[in-house]
Amino acid sequence: MTQLNFNLNMDTLKDSLMKSNLDDVMKSAMVLVLNEFMEKERDDYLQVQSHERSIERTDYRNGYYERDLMISIGKIRLRVPRTRFGDFSPSIFEKYARCDQAMVLSMLEMFVNGVSTRKVSAIVQTLCGEDVSKSFVSSLTSKLDPLVNEWVNRPLNTFVFEYLFVDAMYIKVREYNKVVSKAVYIATALDDQGYRYVIGLHIDHVESFESWSKFFQLLKSRGLSSPKLTISDAHKGLVKAIEREFIGTSWQRCNVHFKRNIVTTFPKKDSTEARKLLKRIFDADTPEEARTLKQELFDSFSEDPKYQKGLKILDEGFEDSLQFMNFPSKVRVHIRSTNSLERLNQEVRRRERVIRIFPNHQSAFRLIGAVLMEYDKQLRTKNKRYSL
């Protein structure tokens, strides 16, 4: 192990102490110590002292070069000794490389958590006294690409996913000097052990049958087999794609969206009784009980023209909204709606609002993918298990 015998220039150190603030004092002291440490390392490597002749020497001194090093108190500039053959390398930069890595990871984490590139630059400048450009932060975030791509394309055939939740949200992306709207497809799932996963991400131009089919085909190519139940809203293209791509899978129309569609057609006043009866329908224990309550609602309000539109919506989507009742009662609360996925969408939206308009398709995929990765990681950390 290298032994340190520092011969510090005390006049230089004293001058630094007298003329600098505390941060500068610490930096100056670190520079003196680390420079002396590297000098000692070079002497040990050469096995000879300066101006000493020896047949045992392995190389020759070849001056110095300057190099910056980022440490916890900021950036310092060191005088790095070198050798003629170039095989000598001070250990300091290996030791402190993790400081640079930590800074990079911190910047990436700020970006993923919705901090704009402008704010990231300002934060780094405050912490380190360094001016980091927005373009540098943007280029730095590209380091996320391999991680996101690997996660998005990971195999799914090691799990048995029984319940699939899918939804789409819209974002703004700059494309060919125009701002366009794009659909973000997200899928989560419950496996046969009761654990929830984020399993899919896809960004396309529009929400359509073709796009949903493509998304489902991507999931199947990664090993997803047909689930017992797929839960979603009633987008026609989505429902058609589920029927085509997942043979033998039941479709559950999201209860929350469905009831909202009905209630918004009811009169704003004097509709309390109808709303209560509607709620009782979906709180029923069996499909038969739900159908009985539905008939009671129709008997009470079908003659009132103010309720006819809502009752028509209920009648047309009723059976699709009851599919969750065909499964064990303990799991019904988890599979009757896309509420869990809606909460995830809100988390994505919170980050997306900071960006407002993504500069390109890849930047949108990168940020949203990183957010989903972090969310999925939190699910694994909590190790929350649902009763199935």
Side-chain angles (χ1 to χ4, degrees):
M1 180 180 293
T2 300
Q3 299 294 322
L4 297 181
N5 287 315
F6 292 129
N7 296 309
L8 299 181
N9 188 326
M10 297 307 297
D11 291 335
T12 302
L13 182 57
K14 180 179 178 180
D15 184 64
S16 297
L17 287 169
M18 297 298 293
K19 297 181 179 180
S20 303
N21 59 33
L22 182 59
D23 286 343
D24 290 338
V25 169
M26 295 176 65
K27 289 181 181 180
S28 297
M30 287 295 295
V31 169
L32 290 170
V33 171
L34 295 178
N35 282 346
E36 190 69 23
F37 181 82
M38 289 187 291
E39 192 70 53
K40 179 62 177 175
E41 277 194 320
R42 183 170 67 172
D43 289 344
D44 291 346
Y45 173 78
L46 296 176
Q47 299 181 8
V48 292
Q49 300 297 317
S50 180
H51 305 299
E52 180 184 348
R53 296 181 179 275
S54 172
I55 60 174
E56 296 181 355
R57 70 163 59 244
T58 58
D59 204 340
Y60 297 86
R61 289 173 175 79
N62 190 31
Y64 303 86
Y65 67 94
E66 291 187 339
R67 177 173 170 178
D68 293 335
L69 177 66
M70 183 69 73
I71 60 177
S72 58
I73 58 175
K75 189 171 74 172
I76 58 177
R77 175 158 293 188
L78 300 177
R79 189 168 177 258
V80 184
R82 59 187 176 189
T83 59
R84 183 179 300 175
F85 300 142
D87 294 331
F88 168 70
S89 178
S91 63
I92 285 174
F93 295 101
E94 294 180 13
K95 179 180 179 181
Y96 283 93
R98 60 178 176 267
C99 294
D100 293 326
Q101 184 180 14
M103 180 59 68
V104 169
L105 292 175
S106 296
M107 294 171 69
L108 292 178
E109 185 176 357
M110 283 188 283
F111 178 76
V112 170
N113 281 285
V115 181
S116 67
T117 53
R118 182 180 291 103
K119 290 181 180 178
V120 171
S121 302
I123 292 170
V124 173
Q125 185 174 18
T126 301
L127 293 177
C128 303
E130 282 298 305
D131 184 16
V132 180
S133 67
K134 291 186 294 180
S135 60
F136 172 74
V137 177
S138 297
S139 63
L140 185 64
T141 56
S142 63
K143 293 179 180 292
L144 286 169
D145 286 348
L147 299 175
V148 172
N149 289 331
E150 181 181 2
W151 179 81
V152 168
N153 295 302
R154 71 195 188 282
L156 300 176
N157 55 3
T158 56
F159 303 91
V160 178
F161 292 112
E162 296 189 335
Y163 306 101
L164 178 66
F165 304 79
V166 291
D167 195 13
M169 57 184 293
Y170 285 86
I171 58 173
K172 297 291 185 181
V173 180
R174 198 175 301 279
E175 197 171 71
Y176 303 112
N177 298 320
K178 296 188 300 182
V179 176
V180 300
S181 180
K182 288 199 172 187
V184 179
Y185 300 84
I186 299 175
T188 63
L190 281 175
D191 70 1
D192 58 342
Q193 301 301 311
Y195 293 104
R196 189 180 298 277
Y197 293 81
V198 183
I199 66 169
L201 168 66
H202 179 62
I203 300 178
D204 214 326
H205 293 285
V206 292
E207 185 180 5
S208 64
F209 163 69
E210 290 76 17
S211 295
W212 275 114
S213 294
K214 181 179 179 180
F215 182 44
F216 292 148
Q217 288 165 13
L218 289 173
L219 293 177
K220 292 195 297 183
S221 70
R222 292 166 50 206
L224 177 68
S225 57
S226 293
K228 292 180 179 179
L229 185 70
T230 298
I231 305 94
S232 73
D233 62 24
H235 185 278
K236 292 182 179 180
L238 169 55
V239 176
K240 184 179 177 182
I242 291 172
E243 293 175 353
R244 173 178 168 177
E245 300 298 336
F246 297 127
I247 305 300
T249 294
S250 299
W251 171 60
Q252 167 64 43
R253 182 170 182 172
C254 174
N255 271 185
V256 174
H257 288 89
F258 186 48
K259 286 188 289 186
R260 188 181 301 151
N261 292 342
I262 297 170
V263 169
T264 54
T265 66
F266 284 177
K268 293 183 179 180
K269 295 182 179 181
D270 303 323
S271 61
T272 303
E273 188 62 31
R275 293 168 187 262
K276 287 182 178 179
L277 191 51
L278 180 66
K279 184 178 184 300
R280 287 177 58 199
I281 291 174
F282 297 104
D283 289 339
D285 292 327
T286 64
E288 292 73 25
E289 182 184 352
R291 293 186 184 101
T292 300
L293 291 169
K294 175 201 169 189
Q295 188 58 50
E296 183 178 336
L297 178 63
F298 270 75
D299 292 342
S300 301
F301 297 96
S302 60
E303 299 300 324
D304 190 334
K306 295 180 181 179
Y307 291 92
Q308 288 181 0
K309 183 177 180 180
L311 294 179
K312 180 180 179 182
I313 295 173
L314 174 61
D315 191 45
E316 292 176 348
F318 182 71
E319 291 300 326
D320 291 325
S321 68
L322 288 188
Q323 292 303 305
F324 73 99
M325 291 187 181
N326 297 318
F327 295 88
S329 57
K330 57 186 177 181
V331 75
R332 291 178 185 177
V333 67
H334 305 306
I335 62 174
R336 64 192 299 169
S337 73
T338 57
N339 275 1
S340 59
L341 185 49
E342 290 287 340
R343 288 192 290 271
L344 174 54
N345 288 348
Q346 290 173 6
E347 195 66 20
V348 173
R349 186 68 73 189
R350 184 172 68 85
R351 269 60 167 241
E352 177 263 343
R353 281 197 203 97
V354 178
I355 307 298
R356 291 191 305 242
I357 300 175
F358 288 96
N360 51 58
H361 177 99
Q362 185 57 35
S363 66
F365 186 83
R366 177 189 306 135
L367 175 63
I368 297 173
V371 172
L372 297 184
M373 284 177 61
E374 181 63 23
Y375 189 88
D376 189 67
K377 179 181 177 181
Q378 291 175 7
L379 291 176
R380 306 284 74 73
T381 302
K382 294 177 181 178
N383 202 31
K384 184 176 181 180
R385 184 176 180 180
Y386 298 91
S387 298
L388 299 183

